[in-house]
Amino acid sequence: MAAHFGRRLRKGAATTAVAAAAVAALSASQAPGATGDDHGRQATAGASAPVPDPTGDDATGNSPYYTDLPPLNSPNPSPSPSAGTPVAQGAAEAGIPATVLDAYKKAEAELRASKPGCNLPWQLLAAIGKVESGQARGGEVDASGTTLRPILGPVLDGNGFALIKDTDHGAYDGNAQYDQAVGPMQFIPSTWAWAGRDGNGDGKKDPNNIYDAALAAGHYLCRGDRDLSQAADLHGAILGYNNSQDYLNTVLSWMEYYSKGTYSVPDGTGAAPGHRSDDGTPRTTPSTPAEPANPHQSKPGSKDQGGRPSPSPTPSKPGDGQDGGDPAPRPPRTPDPTTPTPTDTVDHLENAGTATAELTATAGDAFTGTISTRAETKAGAAVARVRIRFTISGDTDATFTGGEDVATVATDSKGVAKAPALQAGEKTGDFKVTATVVGRSLKGVDYQATVTERPADTLTATTNGGTPLTCTPGGEFADQVQLKATYKGAVADKVAATATLIKSATDATENDKGPYFKDATTGKAVRTLTGLKTDAKGLLTLPKLYADDTTGTFLLRVTTPGGGTLTVQLRVAADGTATASPSPSPSASAGS
């Protein structure tokens, strides 16, 4: 009866209304300046037409998941029961194992700093952790957050589940033939390969560690420019994790429940869920990294149950067991091992029209060019539904939109996969994007890209409103040289500049006498400064200038990428009438 009730509730109460309520509650409480009414309207619209993740790169391989729903009564945020005292229904479900809860909150804090616009609530991570692994099997983790036993989803061999052949040589799941979802957040190996993070600072990215897995899940959910306080983005992120309407509703129900209050319980004492979307198939729990047994051969009711939904959930209809009666058995689909998958038919990858000239951007700007790759058979025919991984390598800090340096995208009906937009960082230079086929060892396609320096074409002196600087031999100039940089009339911020005390207007080599700057570390005289940058307003103030015992007129030249040049005339005189004024005068000679 409990199982039947759970199924009825999943199809009844866990409907669009529950999804909308969850979004409204979380959005109103987390989004800056948000109102409950506004977000309620957004949630209703978003829940009625959920949009799956557009990249075709799901986290879990759409494996089965726990379908248990939270109690109808609200949780008590601080039950603090004494030892041996029964915990009321609702309070037990609100308890999250201490280490697991700590991992969720640390992941939220890191994402709040690195991707503040995403507005990731830790309650979303807790909800996903609940339906994916029952909070790491009720908190069966060690002090570092690593699960005491591996948590593996069913073998994704196409027998009732998705067909995903091995992509990691068994490194994560111990299975060198087919992939399996791994760890408390249930990442498939091909997704973990790029989404994995080191959340506990031990130098490893372990999908079986709750700190690593929670942080990876947070970054996965926050890809692109998502704002999870918005219903559409929230729904898209969850559906990208597992593309099922029931999964979306279940996660939103738990997220809403946890948002009303929760507390930590000792590790290993969390409430264990009991119902799964695959109708009772246990999740495998090997004690060694050997290849796991097929979950369909596991005994029902074993302690470590879990899993996730079939990749193509069927709609409710009379007689299919979703109206409260016993579920109608589905005959397993046994794939023909001789039938090649789309991935198997790929012979090579081709550049799908990306021009090298399009892959240049100024530091801090978005690239206008798009990287596209086409998967083809040996005969040159397009291959659809193949996952292409794009990887950035090189010394720059360029990323894909959202801050990732790896992205996986499925090919469309024309066999083409388009990488997410590239975003230049502040570090200039060349880098490479390589496209490869996930699950195959085929030669990749390389795309060369370049990040150039921010330009300024005009430099204007603003030194103290034009007031002359004064200096005597052996002294220091009273004021500092200031300038403003613009590019095509607009403020040029973060532009690199070089300041050099030159010999003459026609000889830009460094002077060996006259005014100088001081090295910030040694205090020694230097006459060339590099690494200078304009501020957000395009302004730059040079360090103080000093004079040696040489009198006369000298030139200070400032240059920027883009052609910006400013020559400042300096004069050192014994009577203290030295001046600093902007002048390109070619007749001024240093040391005259």
Side-chain angles (χ1 to χ4, degrees):
M1 178 59 72
H4 296 167
F5 175 73
R7 278 190 290 271
R8 285 199 301 272
L9 185 56
R10 179 156 56 94
K11 290 295 179 181
T15 58
T16 300
V18 173
V23 175
L26 266 293
S27 299
S29 64
Q30 306 257 349
T35 64
D37 290 341
D38 290 343
H39 284 272
R41 288 193 293 272
Q42 293 168 357
T44 302
S48 63
V51 179
D53 189 278
T55 65
D57 183 32
D58 55 84
T60 68
N62 291 328
S63 297
Y65 64 96
Y66 286 115
T67 60
D68 298 59
L69 288 168
L72 295 177
N73 55 308
S74 297
N76 182 346
S78 303
S80 303
S82 58
T85 302
V87 179
Q89 182 186 16
E93 289 290 356
I96 299 177
T99 300
V100 178
L101 180 59
D102 184 56
Y104 296 149
K105 291 186 175 181
K106 277 185 167 59
E108 179 198 55
E110 196 279 339
L111 267 299
R112 186 178 295 155
S114 62
K115 297 182 179 179
C118 179
N119 293 305
L120 172 78
W122 68 259
Q123 291 91 343
L124 174 57
L125 297 176
I128 290 176
K130 180 70 173 180
V131 302
E132 294 296 344
S133 68
Q135 311 296 19
R137 297 197 196 98
E140 290 187 0
V141 296
D142 62 20
S144 68
T146 301
T147 57
L148 301 181
R149 291 167 293 157
I151 300 176
L152 295 175
V155 177
L156 298 176
D157 59 1
N159 188 12
F161 305 104
L163 175 60
I164 303 180
K165 293 186 178 181
D166 175 66
T167 61
D168 67 329
H169 304 291
Y172 295 120
D173 55 14
N175 190 332
Q177 186 174 6
Y178 298 100
D179 273 349
Q180 295 174 254
V182 182
M185 302 303 277
Q186 288 289 280
F187 279 94
I188 55 174
S190 60
T191 300
W192 181 262
W194 65 264
R197 294 292 191 278
D198 177 16
N200 62 351
D202 64 356
K204 297 184 295 183
K205 299 176 182 178
D206 182 3
N208 291 298
N209 181 278
I210 186 59
Y211 287 100
D212 294 359
L215 184 57
H219 278 278
Y220 180 90
L221 294 163
C222 285
R223 286 180 300 164
D225 57 355
R226 282 177 178 152
D227 177 359
L228 299 184
S229 68
Q230 302 299 314
D233 284 358
L234 176 64
H235 291 183
I238 297 172
L239 288 169
Y241 212 91
N242 197 315
N243 190 14
S244 161
Q245 177 68 55
D246 287 341
Y247 182 86
L248 171 66
N249 291 343
T250 305
V251 169
L252 289 175
S253 297
W254 280 107
M255 187 172 73
E256 180 190 23
Y257 182 76
Y258 287 137
S259 73
K260 293 179 179 177
T262 188
Y263 64 102
S264 65
V265 297
D267 291 343
T269 65
H275 305 116
R276 295 183 315 272
S277 62
D278 57 343
D279 296 328
T281 303
R283 181 169 284 162
T284 57
T285 56
S287 57
T288 67
E291 180 172 333
N294 189 309
H296 295 286
Q297 299 171 353
S298 304
K299 296 179 180 179
S302 62
K303 179 179 179 181
D304 303 305
Q305 297 178 341
R308 285 198 236 104
S310 302
S312 299
T314 55
S316 176
K317 59 184 178 181
D320 70 351
Q322 297 175 347
D323 58 353
D326 292 329
R330 295 180 192 170
R333 180 176 69 86
T334 303
D336 182 351
T338 64
T339 301
T341 66
T343 300
D344 293 331
T345 66
V346 178
D347 177 75
H348 60 274
L349 296 177
E350 293 286 347
N351 182 340
T354 301
T356 303
E358 298 175 344
L359 298 180
T360 299
T362 301
D365 289 350
F367 284 76
T368 57
T370 300
I371 292 178
S372 298
T373 301
R374 176 180 159 95
E376 297 182 354
T377 65
K378 190 172 184 178
V383 185
R385 296 181 292 113
V386 174
R387 297 200 298 168
I388 306 299
R389 180 176 296 144
F390 297 94
T391 305
I392 296 174
S393 59
D395 293 331
T396 73
D397 52 354
T399 64
F400 294 114
T401 300
E404 309 294 344
D405 57 11
V406 180
T408 307
V409 182
T411 57
D412 59 18
S413 60
K414 297 180 180 179
V416 175
K418 294 183 179 180
L422 285 167
Q423 175 66 44
E426 293 301 324
K427 192 173 181 180
T428 60
D430 298 327
F431 67 95
K432 180 173 65 176
V433 179
T434 302
T436 56
V437 179
V438 176
R440 293 289 303 279
S441 299
L442 298 174
K443 181 181 179 181
V445 177
D446 292 334
Y447 301 83
Q448 300 296 328
T450 303
V451 178
T452 60
E453 294 182 304
R454 295 170 182 259
D457 55 14
T458 303
L459 301 179
T460 305
T462 61
T463 303
N464 217 23
T467 302
L469 300 176
T470 60
C471 185
T472 58
E476 66 180 54
F477 288 85
D479 296 301
Q480 295 166 254
V481 175
Q482 297 175 324
L483 58 89
K484 182 174 183 178
T486 57
Y487 182 68
K488 295 182 179 179
V491 167
D493 64 324
K494 298 181 181 179
V495 174
T498 299
T500 305
L501 289 145
I502 60 177
K503 289 186 176 180
S504 71
T506 57
D507 184 355
T509 57
E510 181 182 286
N511 207 342
D512 57 358
K513 57 186 175 181
Y516 61 90
F517 301 105
K518 283 186 179 180
D519 183 275
T521 303
T522 65
K524 293 182 178 180
V526 292
R527 291 184 170 85
T528 298
L529 293 179
T530 59
L532 303 170
K533 279 196 175 182
T534 61
D535 63 16
K537 297 181 180 180
L539 300 175
L540 173 63
T541 301
L542 300 184
K544 278 191 174 184
L545 278 163
Y546 301 85
D548 60 16
D549 293 333
T550 308
T551 60
T553 300
F554 303 86
L555 298 179
L556 169 66
R557 180 165 292 171
V558 183
T559 59
T560 59
T565 301
L566 176 69
T567 302
V568 176
Q569 191 179 75
L570 304 174
R571 184 170 179 273
V572 180
D575 60 3
T577 60
T579 61
S581 59
S583 172
S585 173
S587 61
S589 85
S592 61

